[in-house]
mmCIF file of all heavy atoms in Angstrom:
data_model
loop_
_atom_site.group_PDB
_atom_site.id
_atom_site.type_symbol
_atom_site.label_atom_id
_atom_site.label_comp_id
_atom_site.label_asym_id
_atom_site.label_seq_id
_atom_site.Cartn_x
_atom_site.Cartn_y
_atom_site.Cartn_z
ATOM 1 N N GLY A 40 11.610 7.523 10.127
ATOM 2 C CA GLY A 40 13.076 7.844 10.041
ATOM 3 C C GLY A 40 13.465 9.271 10.141
ATOM 4 O O GLY A 40 14.464 9.769 9.636
ATOM 5 N N GLY A 41 12.457 10.120 10.734
ATOM 6 C CA GLY A 41 12.845 11.541 10.922
ATOM 7 C C GLY A 41 11.975 12.598 10.283
ATOM 8 O O GLY A 41 11.891 13.626 10.827
ATOM 9 N N ALA A 42 11.539 12.238 9.161
ATOM 10 C CA ALA A 42 10.764 13.224 8.379
ATOM 11 C C ALA A 42 9.290 13.019 8.269
ATOM 12 O O ALA A 42 8.830 11.799 8.553
ATOM 13 C CB ALA A 42 11.247 13.219 6.895
ATOM 14 N N LEU A 43 8.550 14.016 8.228
ATOM 15 C CA LEU A 43 7.050 13.888 7.981
ATOM 16 C C LEU A 43 6.860 13.934 6.462
ATOM 17 O O LEU A 43 7.185 14.856 5.731
ATOM 18 C CB LEU A 43 6.290 15.143 8.612
ATOM 19 C CG LEU A 43 6.312 15.152 10.152
ATOM 20 C CD1 LEU A 43 5.516 16.486 10.573
ATOM 21 C CD2 LEU A 43 5.691 13.943 10.749
ATOM 22 N N LEU A 44 6.211 12.870 5.961
ATOM 23 C CA LEU A 44 5.888 12.874 4.575
ATOM 24 C C LEU A 44 4.653 13.793 4.283
ATOM 25 O O LEU A 44 3.937 14.086 5.213
ATOM 26 C CB LEU A 44 5.554 11.391 4.116
ATOM 27 C CG LEU A 44 6.693 10.401 4.347
ATOM 28 C CD1 LEU A 44 6.221 9.068 3.938
ATOM 29 C CD2 LEU A 44 7.907 10.774 3.514
ATOM 30 N N GLU A 45 4.317 13.994 3.044
ATOM 31 C CA GLU A 45 3.140 14.762 2.713
ATOM 32 C C GLU A 45 1.902 14.155 3.257
ATOM 33 O O GLU A 45 0.965 14.838 3.737
ATOM 34 C CB GLU A 45 3.080 14.901 1.132
ATOM 35 C CG GLU A 45 4.040 15.808 0.509
ATOM 36 C CD GLU A 45 5.339 15.070 0.171
ATOM 37 O OE1 GLU A 45 5.595 13.833 0.465
ATOM 38 O OE2 GLU A 45 6.093 15.625 -0.632
ATOM 39 N N LEU A 46 1.832 12.841 3.220
ATOM 40 C CA LEU A 46 0.680 12.061 3.754
ATOM 41 C C LEU A 46 0.597 12.334 5.271
ATOM 42 O O LEU A 46 -0.656 12.633 5.709
ATOM 43 C CB LEU A 46 0.867 10.555 3.569
ATOM 44 C CG LEU A 46 -0.058 9.558 4.269
ATOM 45 C CD1 LEU A 46 -1.580 9.812 3.891
ATOM 46 C CD2 LEU A 46 0.368 8.147 4.040
ATOM 47 N N ASP A 47 1.664 12.365 6.061
ATOM 48 C CA ASP A 47 1.621 12.624 7.396
ATOM 49 C C ASP A 47 1.131 14.122 7.602
ATOM 50 O O ASP A 47 0.223 14.311 8.602
ATOM 51 C CB ASP A 47 2.987 12.442 8.060
ATOM 52 C CG ASP A 47 3.558 11.112 7.886
ATOM 53 O OD1 ASP A 47 2.778 10.044 7.958
ATOM 54 O OD2 ASP A 47 4.795 10.995 7.487
ATOM 55 N N ARG A 48 1.511 14.965 6.839
ATOM 56 C CA ARG A 48 1.225 16.348 6.991
ATOM 57 C C ARG A 48 -0.227 16.600 6.605
ATOM 58 O O ARG A 48 -0.794 17.682 7.050
ATOM 59 C CB ARG A 48 2.218 17.208 6.172
ATOM 60 C CG ARG A 48 3.676 17.171 6.739
ATOM 61 C CD ARG A 48 4.656 17.654 5.903
ATOM 62 N NE ARG A 48 4.378 18.918 5.288
ATOM 63 C CZ ARG A 48 4.741 19.385 4.080
ATOM 64 N NH1 ARG A 48 5.514 18.592 3.308
ATOM 65 N NH2 ARG A 48 4.452 20.592 3.594
ATOM 66 N N MET A 49 -0.842 15.757 5.862
ATOM 67 C CA MET A 49 -2.243 15.860 5.598
ATOM 68 C C MET A 49 -3.042 15.190 6.802
ATOM 69 O O MET A 49 -3.902 15.743 7.325
ATOM 70 C CB MET A 49 -2.603 15.101 4.283
ATOM 71 C CG MET A 49 -4.019 15.209 3.908
ATOM 72 S SD MET A 49 -4.572 16.954 3.547
ATOM 73 C CE MET A 49 -3.696 17.231 1.912
ATOM 74 N N LEU A 50 -2.578 14.083 7.259
ATOM 75 C CA LEU A 50 -3.292 13.342 8.242
ATOM 76 C C LEU A 50 -3.223 14.111 9.522
ATOM 77 O O LEU A 50 -4.290 14.001 10.335
ATOM 78 C CB LEU A 50 -2.550 11.995 8.548
ATOM 79 C CG LEU A 50 -2.874 10.916 7.623
ATOM 80 C CD1 LEU A 50 -1.790 9.688 7.717
ATOM 81 C CD2 LEU A 50 -4.239 10.293 7.803
ATOM 82 N N LEU A 51 -2.211 14.876 9.803
ATOM 83 C CA LEU A 51 -2.118 15.534 11.097
ATOM 84 C C LEU A 51 -3.064 16.732 11.219
ATOM 85 O O LEU A 51 -3.232 17.360 12.341
ATOM 86 C CB LEU A 51 -0.674 16.090 11.252
ATOM 87 C CG LEU A 51 0.209 15.021 11.819
ATOM 88 C CD1 LEU A 51 1.722 15.298 11.557
ATOM 89 C CD2 LEU A 51 -0.057 14.601 13.290
ATOM 90 N N HIS A 52 -3.963 16.984 10.140
ATOM 91 C CA HIS A 52 -5.033 17.876 10.272
ATOM 92 C C HIS A 52 -6.071 17.315 11.317
ATOM 93 O O HIS A 52 -6.754 18.065 11.876
ATOM 94 C CB HIS A 52 -5.755 18.151 8.988
ATOM 95 C CG HIS A 52 -5.069 19.149 8.106
ATOM 96 N ND1 HIS A 52 -5.130 20.466 8.357
ATOM 97 C CD2 HIS A 52 -4.304 18.921 7.006
ATOM 98 C CE1 HIS A 52 -4.459 21.164 7.462
ATOM 99 N NE2 HIS A 52 -3.937 20.276 6.572
ATOM 100 N N SER A 53 -5.936 16.001 11.478
ATOM 101 C CA SER A 53 -6.793 15.329 12.498
ATOM 102 C C SER A 53 -5.905 14.453 13.387
ATOM 103 O O SER A 53 -5.545 13.267 13.023
ATOM 104 C CB SER A 53 -7.909 14.402 11.790
ATOM 105 O OG SER A 53 -8.465 13.614 12.800
ATOM 106 N N PRO A 54 -5.423 14.895 14.501
ATOM 107 C CA PRO A 54 -4.541 14.233 15.309
ATOM 108 C C PRO A 54 -5.066 12.805 15.684
ATOM 109 O O PRO A 54 -4.276 11.816 15.763
ATOM 110 C CB PRO A 54 -4.368 15.089 16.542
ATOM 111 C CG PRO A 54 -4.538 16.461 15.964
ATOM 112 C CD PRO A 54 -5.592 16.316 15.073
#
Side-chain angles (χ1 to χ4, degrees):
L43 292 178
L44 301 179
E45 291 88 351
L46 170 58
D47 305 318
R48 294 168 45 212
M49 185 63 72
L50 283 163
L51 281 160
H52 279 285
S53 170

